[in-house]
Amino acid sequence: MKKDKITIWDVAKLANVSIMTVSRVISKKGKVKESTRIKIQDAIKELHYQPNVAARSLSGSVSYFLGLIYDNPNEAYLNQVLMGALHKCNDYGYNLIISSFESDTDGNYKIDKALIDRAKVDGIIIPPPLCDSLEILSTLTEANIPIVRIAPQTMLDYSPFVCMDDRAAAYEITEYLINQGHKKIGFIVGHPDHGASKLRFDGMKEALTDNGLALNEDYVQQGYFSYKSGSNCAETLLGLEDRPTAIFASNDDMAAAAISTAHKYGLSVPGDISVVGFDDVPLASAIWPKLTTIQQPIMAMAEKAAEFLMYPDPEKEKDNILDYKLIIRDSVAPLARTY
Amino acid sequence: MKKDKITIWDVAKLANVSIMTVSRVISKKGKVKESTRIKIQDAIKELHYQPNVAARSLSGSVSYFLGLIYDNPNEAYLNQVLMGALHKCNDYGYNLIISSFESDTDGNYKIDKALIDRAKVDGIIIPPPLCDSLEILSTLTEANIPIVRIAPQTMLDYSPFVCMDDRAAAYEITEYLINQGHKKIGFIVGHPDHGASKLRFDGMKEALTDNGLALNEDYVQQGYFSYKSGSNCAETLLGLEDRPTAIFASNDDMAAAAISTAHKYGLSVPGDISVVGFDDVPLASAIWPKLTTIQQPIMAMAEKAAEFLMYPDPEKEKDNILDYKLIIRDSVAPLARTY
DNA sequence: TGTTATAGTGTTAACGTTAACATTTTTAAT
DNA sequence: ATTAAAAATGTTAACGTTAACACTATAACA
């Protein structure tokens, strides 16, 4: 009694056309008279027909699969990328295949071509830090697979990408701190392998300079984007004789660590010390006080990346710098003036 | 100069057998003499041959795709499920297709059969809360798609599933609190739609009873697993004339909220009040003080679920209750005795 | 009016694999 | 040595779609 799988043939029969015409309608290629298109679309609806990906993929030049590869970045970051890509894929009838590319101890990536060959993906989305690995990029290019990178820092001419202006964002949040009266600003640098770390540091330094402030080397600590590294850096910063009145951590995890370290020292945040982060991951609003931070449009970047791959268009690809947003919450207080 | 796609034919020619024999080797079905198997496997390696999923899927009865559907559960939870499923899929040459099933305002799920029809998945992994929706389960069953549920709370006979013993875990962590001298224990209930909420509450009550303690209705607050709801409940609990000395929140997000609320009240944790959570999401160790909580084997559950789907085996499926772990960190202090 | 371009449609052969059945080879049993 | 059974391998036709080309109507022009 159960209906068998519905194929393009069933649709063709019902609409009284050939399967090729149906194919033209579903893949939006070639010309079909408006009236027949409607007839066919009605038939598709009536039968609840869904084209079979495997067949389309096998036969045609499009696989309807997009790949997303990742190394172990921040979990929340990955999640955002994932959700963004997923949404867009679902919208356009694509599927997303996710695969981890783990680096060996030397930081080299063993390229597992499985993803590539197995599913014949139409393109691959590459978030950081993978997007800055020449090894990966060249392998993919050789295999002739289109890629779109998310927030790459190097080799910007290598491929289409989407990003935000890290430098400008760091500049803005630093200036915000300065406007609140802070002059002694500690900075926790991000992971040296992530190009964004340098940009954020640059933006911060520039804001300092433009406001007539000098950079105090003691106030700069090298972190690695991890909570742990943030703790260590904050430990050093807060242990300083003449400690900063504000700390700018290059991501939220490290900022959260800084807050927690301050608490441990009996310092109130933002009463005794202000802290700002970067990224606006869920953690940022799950801690107390809630973090003032920069909201990265991570999901939007992933959506755009997916779009670029599904509908390549050199024109659109120039519109690839998305807006960040300064999110003011509770972790910064104006500096009480001291004479 | 570039080599064309390598197919089963190339392997067959190199190994000097028919394509069918090669097929038998790659899909591990049917009998092949050991010596020929080796010959073929060598050829596969030499050519870097990767079977084409689309073709296998189209031709055969196996699609090499597993589905994972989700409603918007806790982000960290989903991430764990995802990683677990992903790992196992990659290990066995499967691909994972992820799709969100959003409920409408009435809490009903509009079943989008796209996932099912489009990719012909071999099975679907269903985490909570979807795994307790009869609507979803019956649709999938009708469509004849194998499913494995993660931590379902109802209709346990409906399908294979993996879970942990929520009741026992809640019992154990409550008893831990009691052993630290706490008698006045506040409890923040989880979302009423998640069956786990009731189990955790039951475990808590049972521990109370077994230790000769009575349940104080004022100490029980209804939360919804969200940070916000945790804040509200903690607000009520801490505002009580005779406030509890410990709070057991049904998940980490709410526990984090409770800690943050305590801080806002000028209460030290765990000095003035102890807090425990449930789940051990990353947040649990990213806040200060670090949360004492129950570690759910979420990733392991997802891995097991994927395995069940890829290699169904009624025997193995009986071994489906995974171990939790009480993680003792810094958010609980023994109760100072007061006479 | 015929010619020519073009919009619209159809036919057939791939795509790379597995299912189902067919055949050959090996082993075991008399 | 003969036969039956089992093991190993091969042949062929799907699977559902699109590419490439072939064809037929319609429109546009001289």
Side-chain angles (χ1 to χ4, degrees), chain B residues 56-254:
Chain B
R56 301 183 80 175
S57 169
L58 183 58
S59 165
S61 50
V62 181
S63 78
Y64 298 93
F65 281 103
L66 248 41
L68 171 63
I69 61 180
Y70 67 92
D71 187 19
N72 56 332
N74 182 295
E75 199 177 65
Y77 191 98
L78 177 61
N79 223 315
Q80 297 276 86
V81 171
L82 234 145
M83 293 302 143
L86 231 35
H87 279 152
K88 268 283 174 288
C89 281
N90 280 344
D91 284 356
Y92 292 110
Y94 271 67
N95 292 110
L96 189 67
I97 293 182
I98 299 156
S99 187
S100 84
F101 260 52
E102 269 142 41
S103 57
D104 62 21
T105 39
D106 302 336
N108 296 319
Y109 291 100
K110 62 167 164 52
I111 308 284
D112 173 13
K113 293 183 64 189
L115 170 73
I116 303 164
D117 298 333
R118 269 210 309 251
K120 244 178 74 181
V121 294
D122 296 331
I124 297 186
I125 299 174
I126 318 181
L130 257 48
C131 61
D132 291 311
S133 153
L134 180 55
E135 206 176 339
I136 293 210
L137 297 186
S138 56
T139 308
L140 261 22
T141 315
E142 266 164 40
N144 231 332
I145 300 183
I147 59 178
V148 172
R149 293 182 291 158
I150 292 183
Q153 304 302 337
T154 59
M155 308 174 277
L156 297 187
D157 294 329
Y158 202 100
S159 76
F161 64 90
V162 291
C163 67
M164 62 159 265
D165 193 340
D166 280 85
R167 222 204 86 279
Y171 187 101
E172 184 169 335
I173 201 166
T174 306
E175 199 154 56
Y176 169 73
L177 244 25
I178 297 173
N179 289 340
Q180 298 291 309
H182 295 279
K183 289 182 161 53
K184 299 189 281 183
I185 301 177
F187 186 78
I188 305 181
V189 190
H191 196 294
D193 288 356
H194 286 51
S197 303
K198 183 172 178 313
L199 291 177
R200 292 174 195 177
F201 192 22
D202 287 349
M204 184 265 188
K205 286 189 287 195
E206 204 170 320
L208 247 41
T209 311
D210 288 359
N211 286 272
L213 262 28
L215 181 72
N216 180 338
E217 293 290 344
D218 290 344
Y219 288 172
V220 177
Q221 295 294 320
Q222 179 65 57
Y224 299 91
F225 280 147
S226 68
Y227 187 84
K228 185 95 190 67
S229 73
S231 296
N232 295 340
C233 294
E235 202 77 50
T236 312
L237 251 19
L238 297 176
L240 250 34
E241 183 113 352
D242 180 27
R243 67 160 175 261
T245 62
I247 293 180
F248 173 5
S250 292
N251 77 348
D252 287 343
D253 282 26
M254 299 195 297

Side-chain angles (χ1 to χ4, degrees), chain A residues 129-138 141 147 149 152-161:
Chain A
L130 257 47
C131 60
D132 291 310
S133 154
L134 179 56
E135 205 175 340
I136 293 210
L137 297 186
S138 57
T141 314
I147 60 177
R149 292 182 291 159
Q153 304 301 337
T154 58
M155 307 175 277
L156 297 187
D157 294 329
Y158 202 100
S159 78
F161 64 90

Side-chain angles (χ1 to χ4, degrees), chain A residues 94-127:
Chain A
Y94 271 67
N95 291 110
L96 190 66
I97 295 183
I98 299 155
S99 186
S100 83
F101 260 52
E102 270 143 41
S103 57
D104 61 21
T105 40
D106 304 336
N108 297 318
Y109 291 100
K110 61 168 164 56
I111 308 284
D112 174 13
K113 292 184 63 187
L115 170 74
I116 304 166
D117 298 334
R118 268 209 312 248
K120 243 177 75 182
V121 293
D122 296 330
I124 297 187
I125 299 173
I126 319 181

Side-chain angles (χ1 to χ4, degrees), chain A residues 235-254:
Chain A
E235 201 77 52
T236 312
L237 252 19
L238 298 175
L240 250 34
E241 183 114 350
D242 180 27
R243 68 159 173 260
T245 62
I247 292 180
F248 174 5
S250 292
N251 78 348
D252 288 343
D253 282 27
M254 298 195 297

Side-chain angles (χ1 to χ4, degrees), chain A residues 48 53 55 63 80 89 106 116 141 153 165 176 185 195 210 235 263 272-273 283 313-314 325:
Chain A
H48 291 111
V53 229
S63 77
Q80 297 275 84
C89 282
D106 304 336
I116 304 166
T141 314
Q153 304 301 337
D165 192 341
Y176 170 73
I185 301 177
D210 288 359
E235 201 77 52
H263 283 152
D272 299 319
I273 185 157
L283 172 65
D313 170 355
K325 212 159 123 194

Side-chain angles (χ1 to χ4, degrees), chain A residues 74-256:
Chain A
N74 182 295
E75 199 176 65
Y77 191 97
L78 178 60
N79 222 316
Q80 297 275 84
V81 172
L82 234 145
M83 292 302 142
L86 230 36
H87 279 152
K88 269 284 174 288
C89 282
N90 280 345
D91 285 355
Y92 292 110
Y94 271 67
N95 291 110
L96 190 66
I97 295 183
I98 299 155
S99 186
S100 83
F101 260 52
E102 270 143 41
S103 57
D104 61 21
T105 40
D106 304 336
N108 297 318
Y109 291 100
K110 61 168 164 56
I111 308 284
D112 174 13
K113 292 184 63 187
L115 170 74
I116 304 166
D117 298 334
R118 268 209 312 248
K120 243 177 75 182
V121 293
D122 296 330
I124 297 187
I125 299 173
I126 319 181
L130 257 47
C131 60
D132 291 310
S133 154
L134 179 56
E135 205 175 340
I136 293 210
L137 297 186
S138 57
T139 308
L140 261 22
T141 314
E142 266 165 41
N144 230 331
I145 299 182
I147 60 177
V148 172
R149 292 182 291 159
I150 292 183
Q153 304 301 337
T154 58
M155 307 175 277
L156 297 187
D157 294 329
Y158 202 100
S159 78
F161 64 90
V162 290
C163 67
M164 62 160 265
D165 192 341
D166 280 85
R167 222 204 86 279
Y171 187 99
E172 184 169 335
I173 202 165
T174 306
E175 199 153 58
Y176 170 73
L177 244 25
I178 297 173
N179 289 339
Q180 298 292 308
H182 294 280
K183 289 182 162 54
K184 299 190 281 183
I185 301 177
F187 187 77
I188 305 182
V189 191
H191 196 294
D193 288 355
H194 287 51
S197 303
K198 183 172 179 314
L199 292 178
R200 292 174 196 177
F201 190 22
D202 287 348
M204 184 266 187
K205 284 189 287 194
E206 204 170 320
L208 247 40
T209 311
D210 288 359
N211 286 273
L213 261 30
L215 181 73
N216 181 337
E217 293 290 345
D218 290 346
Y219 288 172
V220 178
Q221 294 294 321
Q222 179 66 56
Y224 299 90
F225 281 146
S226 68
Y227 187 85
K228 186 94 189 67
S229 73
S231 295
N232 295 340
C233 294
E235 201 77 52
T236 312
L237 252 19
L238 298 175
L240 250 34
E241 183 114 350
D242 180 27
R243 68 159 173 260
T245 62
I247 292 180
F248 174 5
S250 292
N251 78 348
D252 288 343
D253 282 27
M254 298 195 297

